Amino acid sequence: MSVTLYENARLNGAAELTAIAVSDGRFLKFGKAQDLEHEFPDAKREDLGGNVVCPPFADAHIHLDYVYTASLPTHETSSGTLFEAIDNWSDSKAKLSADAIRSRALKAVKMQISHGVQYVRTHVDVTDPKFTALKVMLELKEQLKPYMQIQIVAFPQEGYYAYKGGDELVEEALKMGADVVGGIPHFEFTREDGVRSVKKGFELAEKYDKLLDFHCDETDDDQSRFVESICAMTYYDGLQGRTAASHTCAMGSYNNAYAFKMMSKFKKAQLNFIVCPTENCYLQGRYDSYPRRRGISRVDELDQNGLNVSFAQDSISDPWYPLGNGNLMHQLDFGLHLSHMMSVEQISNSLRFVTTNGAKTMCVGDYGFKEGNSANFVVLDADNVFDAVRNTASTILSVRNGEVIMRKQPEKVLTEYGF
Ligand code: FE2
């Protein structure tokens, strides 16, 4: 039996150092270095240097079919609003070739891997009768399995009903192999159509045994309340833990009485929440003068109520957001600031927003430090979680199924200062 011993690992930032024995792509044993060295004398050894070791980053919300399209002439945006970006995308998407989508997505995936991401849920626009992007993403999902687990959301960017036949395209995408039912109820023409689209999504999820993840209330309009429909249907259909509400920006504008009522309902439905800090603080608040809203959901209250919240990238240089590089430590930094979650304890306990919580939303089994699980983990260039967050520490090693898939030199200043 071939064993690799990873020594001096600070698992999830713990004070004590641990050794990890890996064999056949799986975690074999965790323990003290001297014990495991004795048990596995022939093991290959790697010193992790007392750095923080955590489960891989999980990006539960991105659009890999949109990446690096921000600079296309038709995507120049002047208002910085969500709805202008959707219109710009609609005008140009038919011109994008499969080759262009593939090469851009691969460039983004390489960036994600370099930042320790191994789990990705990508929404793919299926309001395209040719399914150009979906076919590419289905191919990449298989091709990239050694590097990351990809979930594909059948996402009708232009709506189930606002786009004629959108509902049928979502169903066809699920038949082709998409893993998750998507939707965008706040983009439909009417409140009634939005609710109808959510109902249709749940019908399809039941018919094809899929997870659900809706773009939900991505607006500052405090009357946008599709989250209650998603929550109710999750509860009625007994789909606790299998449904996610992405964005829920309007929750930042709800009155406290309504938000308080909904917290208890969310708990009953075990609804997962995905928040995209940089994108939504850029896109929202665009109709405000001052005071100007932050554009993100009630992360602190959701978290205090025990609900599962993760931070995600959403965009890498697309019509919705010009920046983005797949580094979830950056999202964590923004998310904590925008959510007022900055106590030492909150910061020291925050890696879960970009690791465990995202994996839980994706219903990933076989995740985390447990003997028998796939040996998937990353090493951060920091010896405690607080400093990792403070410095937005780099991922210096990413191991998947026991194999090193990415290694990076730790940052080192070469200048000699005179003091
Ligand atoms: Fe999105």
Side-chain angles (χ1 to χ4, degrees):
M1 181 171 62
S2 165
V3 176
T4 302
L5 266 185
Y6 292 94
E7 299 186 328
N8 296 317
R10 208 172 287 287
L11 290 192
N12 295 317
E16 287 178 14
L17 296 172
T18 303
I20 312 168
V22 169
S23 181
D24 202 20
R26 297 195 169 269
F27 291 125
L28 182 63
K29 204 165 185 179
F30 300 90
K32 289 187 175 162
Q34 61 194 57
D35 296 342
L36 297 194
E37 283 171 11
H38 186 258
E39 189 171 348
F40 307 108
D42 299 326
K44 186 179 144 197
R45 293 188 201 170
E46 169 140 9
D47 183 1
L48 300 184
N51 287 308
V52 173
V53 178
C54 62
F57 291 97
D59 191 342
H61 188 124
I62 194 165
H63 297 255
L64 286 175
D65 52 335
Y66 297 173
V67 293
Y68 302 112
T69 57
S71 58
L72 298 181
T74 44
H75 289 174
E76 288 296 330
T77 181
S78 55
S79 70
T81 62
L82 175 82
F83 296 107
E84 186 185 59
I86 294 175
D87 285 346
N88 287 349
W89 177 254
S90 176
D91 290 343
S92 65
K93 65 184 177 185
K95 296 178 197 133
L96 294 178
S97 70
D99 285 345
I101 294 168
R102 185 181 299 104
S103 65
R104 290 186 185 120
L106 284 170
K107 183 177 166 188
V109 163
K110 283 178 190 164
M111 289 281 288
Q112 291 179 304
I113 293 169
S114 78
H115 294 304
V117 176
Q118 291 189 23
Y119 299 88
V120 171
R121 174 178 281 181
T122 181
H123 293 252
V124 179
D125 184 6
V126 297
T127 43
D128 161 23
K130 292 182 183 165
F131 294 111
T132 308
L134 179 64
K135 288 174 189 166
V136 170
M137 288 313 306
L138 287 166
E139 277 171 37
L140 292 185
K141 178 184 165 182
E142 289 305 308
Q143 181 189 336
L144 294 168
K145 270 183 180 167
Y147 302 94
M148 62 170 51
Q149 179 177 332
I150 295 178
Q151 275 184 354
I152 293 174
V153 184
F155 172 54
Q157 176 68 76
E158 297 184 68
Y160 277 67
Y161 305 110
Y163 186 94
K164 275 210 160 108
D167 54 342
E168 290 163 13
L169 294 171
V170 171
E171 180 160 11
E172 187 57 30
L174 296 171
K175 287 184 194 164
M176 289 169 68
D179 307 288
V180 184
V181 180
I184 184 166
H186 56 275
F187 188 70
E188 303 290 354
F189 274 81
T190 64
R191 161 89 197 164
E192 290 72 19
D193 282 350
V195 173
R196 190 157 66 103
S197 76
V198 172
K199 280 186 183 158
K200 182 68 182 176
F202 275 82
E203 272 174 39
L204 293 173
E206 188 177 16
K207 186 172 177 183
Y208 295 98
D209 190 24
K210 304 286 185 182
L211 302 172
L212 293 126
D213 187 340
F214 292 90
H215 281 63
C216 176
D217 304 320
E218 192 178 3
T219 167
D220 293 318
D221 176 7
D222 65 346
Q223 296 302 306
S224 187
R225 296 180 173 187
F226 295 105
V227 72
E228 66 184 20
S229 305
I230 292 165
C231 177
M233 286 178 219
T234 301
Y235 180 69
Y236 298 148
D237 288 356
L239 295 175
Q240 279 88 345
R242 291 175 59 82
T243 306
S246 286
H247 301 295
T248 59
C249 309
M251 209 184 294
S253 298
Y254 292 160
N255 66 69
N256 286 337
Y258 178 67
F260 181 81
K261 171 205 156 182
M262 287 313 301
M263 287 295 165
S264 65
K265 306 293 183 202
F266 294 153
K267 284 197 267 190
K268 284 198 162 86
Q270 292 171 35
L271 198 57
N272 296 297
F273 290 86
I274 303 168
V275 171
C276 304
T278 53
E279 280 71 0
N280 282 126
C281 75
Y282 167 76
L283 287 169
Q284 309 307 321
R286 290 286 172 165
Y287 309 100
D288 295 349
S289 53
Y290 285 100
R292 185 175 288 161
R293 284 167 284 187
R294 296 180 173 207
I296 69 165
S297 196
R298 294 184 177 222
V299 177
D300 51 350
E301 290 185 5
L302 291 166
D303 188 56
Q304 282 158 16
N305 277 280
L307 290 152
N308 186 47
V309 184
S310 55
F311 294 139
Q313 173 71 79
D314 200 6
S315 296
I316 296 178
S317 203
D318 66 21
W320 286 262
Y321 180 72
L323 301 177
N325 62 11
N327 185 351
L328 290 183
M329 289 299 283
H330 190 54
Q331 296 304 320
L332 179 59
D333 189 15
F334 265 75
L336 294 177
H337 279 87
L338 294 169
S339 308
H340 279 173
M341 296 179 72
M342 302 288 284
S343 73
V344 172
E345 188 187 346
Q346 284 171 322
I347 292 168
S348 300
N349 187 30
S350 65
L351 277 182
R352 61 201 165 93
F353 289 110
V354 284
T355 57
T356 319
N357 293 9
K360 185 176 177 187
T361 293
M362 291 173 66
C363 296
V364 175
D366 188 29
Y367 179 89
F369 298 122
K370 193 172 151 200
E371 287 170 11
N373 273 1
S374 295
N376 300 342
F377 64 90
V378 296
V379 180
L380 307 182
D381 185 14
D383 61 12
N384 65 77
V385 171
F386 187 91
D387 281 350
V389 177
R390 190 171 59 79
N391 290 324
T392 52
S394 294
T395 299
I396 53 176
L397 188 75
S398 182
V399 174
R400 182 166 175 79
N401 298 320
E403 302 287 333
V404 173
I405 60 167
M406 192 284 299
R407 190 187 293 276
K408 207 187 288 167
Q409 289 281 355
E411 191 180 18
K412 191 176 175 191
V413 177
L414 297 174
T415 304
E416 291 289 337
Y417 298 114
F419 55 88

